């Protein structure tokens, strides 16, 4: 019942975005953002709790302002995914400004395996298209399946275009090795809580949390180059910002390399707090924190 209801809401949203004239689309999106913020009685509590944990020195009024901006951007990014289902390379190039392009070009010419890492930040669904479409870097992206398979079907076309293919996040190491051998980069979202026994405990917003060690293991085992990247909007302009790549050195440990990943995510969130996907219970390993 719930699955079908969400699907029908999505279909209405999809058709409104796809077929509405540009001048009307912004009005529709602002209405949707208003409704989502005011009718979300469950996730809103999680969002505000996460903001309280991350920014304890802000007032509640300031945190609500960030939360409202996040909800609005979330709705607009969903619309953008629909708009980019059939976007051309030229249109994509005109849409995005790339910061740190030198890091991208350097890794493109590297003979080492490359892993692009990001978080649920900005419009992460569009990021692989930029890498594959504008820079012609073939990439395999590890992604979880949508909870609603009907909605997931709509995103398959978007996720498998512009030199991009996808693997289920539960895929075996053999699939990843095959991608490396084929000269493909790997794309991974690294910010969610990990329940794995092998998860690494790191500091994140002054809290001890669990991070997946997969990227650190790939960097150590395959001598892979790890390239952090984040998308965000500023003054209606799309940006893709790449940070300086890092390789696993003799001075690194799995723990320190994973902490580095947590640090870069935290730093970007502090710069653009309304871009992070605050819906996740990121601190749920702390007993009773969401009660």
């Amino acid at each position: 019942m719930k699955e079908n209801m969400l699907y029908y809401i999505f279909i209405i949203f999809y058709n409104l975005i796809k077929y509405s004239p540009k001048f009307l689309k912004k009005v529709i999106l602002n209405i949707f953002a208003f409704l989502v913020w005011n009718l979300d009685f469950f996730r809103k509590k999680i969002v505000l709790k996460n903001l309280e944990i991350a920014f304890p020195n802000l007032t509640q009024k300031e945190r609500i302002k960030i939360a409202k901006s996040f909800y609005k951007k979330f709705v607009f990014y969903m619309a953008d995914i629909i708009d980019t289902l059939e976007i051309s390379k030229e249109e994509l190039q005109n849409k995005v400004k790339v910061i740190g392009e030198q890091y991208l070009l350097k890794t493109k010419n590297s003979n080492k395996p490359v892993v692009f890492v990001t978080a649920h930040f900005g419009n992460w669904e569009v990021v692989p298209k930029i890498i594959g479409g504008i820079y012609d870097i073939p990439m395999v992206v590890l992604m979880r399946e949508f909870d609603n398979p009907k909605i997931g079907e709509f995103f398959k076309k978007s996720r498998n275009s512009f030199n991009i293919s996808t693997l289920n996040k539960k895929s075996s190491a053999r699939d990843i090795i095959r991608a490396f051998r084929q000269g493909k980069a790997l794309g991974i979202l690294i910010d969610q809580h990990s329940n794995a026994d092998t998860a690494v405990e790191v500091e994140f917003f002054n809290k001890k949390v669990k991070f997946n060690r997969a990227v650190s293991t790939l960097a150590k085992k395959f001598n892979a180059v790890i390239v952090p990247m984040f998308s965000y909007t500023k003054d209606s302009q799309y940006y893709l910002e790449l940070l300086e790549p890092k390789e696993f050195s003799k001075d690194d440990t799995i723990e320190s390399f994973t902490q580095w990943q947590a640090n870069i995510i935290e730093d970007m969130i502090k710069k653009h707090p309304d871009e992070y996907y605050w819906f996740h219970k990121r601190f749920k390993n702390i007993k009773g924190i969401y009660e």
Side-chain angles (χ1 to χ4, degrees):
M1 179 69 178
K2 181 182 177 181
E3 183 178 295
N4 286 332
M5 183 178 70
L6 288 173
Y7 174 70
Y8 292 130
I9 292 172
F10 174 78
I11 290 298
I12 293 170
F13 181 77
Y14 175 87
N15 284 289
L16 283 172
I17 298 309
K18 189 172 178 63
Y19 299 110
S20 294
K22 193 172 182 179
F23 76 90
L24 186 59
K25 191 180 298 184
K26 189 172 182 179
V27 175
I28 293 170
L29 290 175
N30 279 316
I31 292 172
F32 260 93
F34 175 82
L35 291 173
V36 172
W37 167 255
N38 285 281
L39 298 178
D40 181 12
F41 301 110
F42 173 64
R43 291 286 178 183
K44 191 192 300 183
K45 294 179 181 178
I46 298 171
V47 169
L48 291 174
K49 185 62 181 180
N50 282 334
L51 286 168
E52 179 187 335
I53 295 166
F55 301 105
N57 295 327
L58 295 183
T59 65
Q60 182 69 349
K61 184 178 180 180
E62 289 170 323
R63 290 193 286 263
I64 288 174
K65 183 179 179 181
I66 293 172
K68 286 184 175 180
S69 180
F70 156 64
Y71 270 77
K72 182 176 179 178
K73 286 194 172 186
F74 174 73
V75 170
F76 273 72
Y77 284 148
M78 286 293 292
D80 224 28
I81 293 170
I82 294 169
D83 282 338
T84 57
L85 283 174
E86 299 175 356
I87 196 171
S88 69
K89 287 186 179 183
E90 291 73 23
E91 289 171 323
L92 187 62
Q93 195 161 13
N94 292 331
K95 188 180 182 69
V96 181
K97 287 186 178 180
V98 178
I99 300 172
E101 184 182 48
Q102 69 273 22
Y103 301 132
L104 193 56
L105 297 176
K106 185 177 180 180
T107 56
K108 182 178 180 179
N109 298 320
S110 173
N111 57 3
K112 296 180 179 180
V114 176
V115 180
F116 290 101
V117 295
T118 190
H120 290 84
F121 191 97
N123 195 343
W124 67 87
E125 287 278 352
V126 174
V127 169
K129 287 187 173 186
I130 301 168
I131 304 298
I134 297 177
Y135 294 95
D136 293 317
I137 298 175
M139 184 192 300
V140 174
V141 181
L142 289 182
M143 289 185 169
R144 68 186 291 271
E145 295 293 332
F146 275 81
D147 293 331
N148 190 312
K150 292 182 179 179
I151 296 177
E153 285 297 317
F154 276 88
F155 287 87
K156 280 187 178 180
K157 183 178 180 181
S158 177
R159 288 180 165 185
N160 291 276
S161 60
F162 292 116
N163 285 322
I164 306 301
S165 56
T166 56
L167 280 175
N168 189 292
K169 65 181 293 187
K170 297 179 181 179
S171 297
S172 68
R174 188 181 296 112
D175 295 319
I176 295 173
I177 294 170
R178 184 183 300 114
F180 283 155
R181 286 177 176 171
Q182 292 172 346
K184 296 179 179 179
L186 189 68
I188 307 179
L189 291 159
I190 59 173
D191 59 303
Q192 284 187 297
H193 171 79
S194 176
N195 288 316
D197 294 336
T198 56
V200 177
E201 188 174 74
V202 298
E203 287 274 347
F204 190 63
F205 285 100
N206 297 314
K207 302 291 184 183
K208 294 286 187 181
V209 301
K210 296 288 187 178
F211 257 68
N212 195 303
R213 65 189 290 149
V215 170
S216 301
T217 301
L218 290 171
K220 182 178 182 181
K221 187 173 182 179
F222 296 101
N223 197 25
V225 181
I226 311 302
V227 187
M229 60 182 185
F230 299 89
S231 77
Y232 54 88
T233 54
K234 186 177 180 181
D235 300 326
S236 301
Q237 172 65 55
Y238 248 112
Y239 291 89
L240 174 63
E241 183 171 348
L242 295 104
L243 306 180
E244 186 173 1
K246 183 175 174 63
E247 298 180 45
F248 202 97
S249 72
K250 60 181 179 61
D251 297 322
D252 283 313
T253 63
I254 293 293
E255 290 73 22
S256 68
F257 206 87
T258 308
Q259 182 65 63
W260 166 72
Q261 296 163 55
N263 291 344
I264 59 176
I265 294 172
E266 181 176 331
D267 288 345
M268 287 301 293
I269 292 173
K270 287 177 177 177
K271 291 177 183 176
H272 308 281
D274 58 348
E275 296 282 355
Y276 190 58
Y277 190 79
W278 293 106
F279 290 137
H280 291 151
K281 289 184 176 181
R282 188 60 192 86
F283 304 92
K284 65 181 178 182
N285 61 291
I286 304 172
K287 189 175 180 180
I289 202 161
Y290 291 108
E291 293 177 358

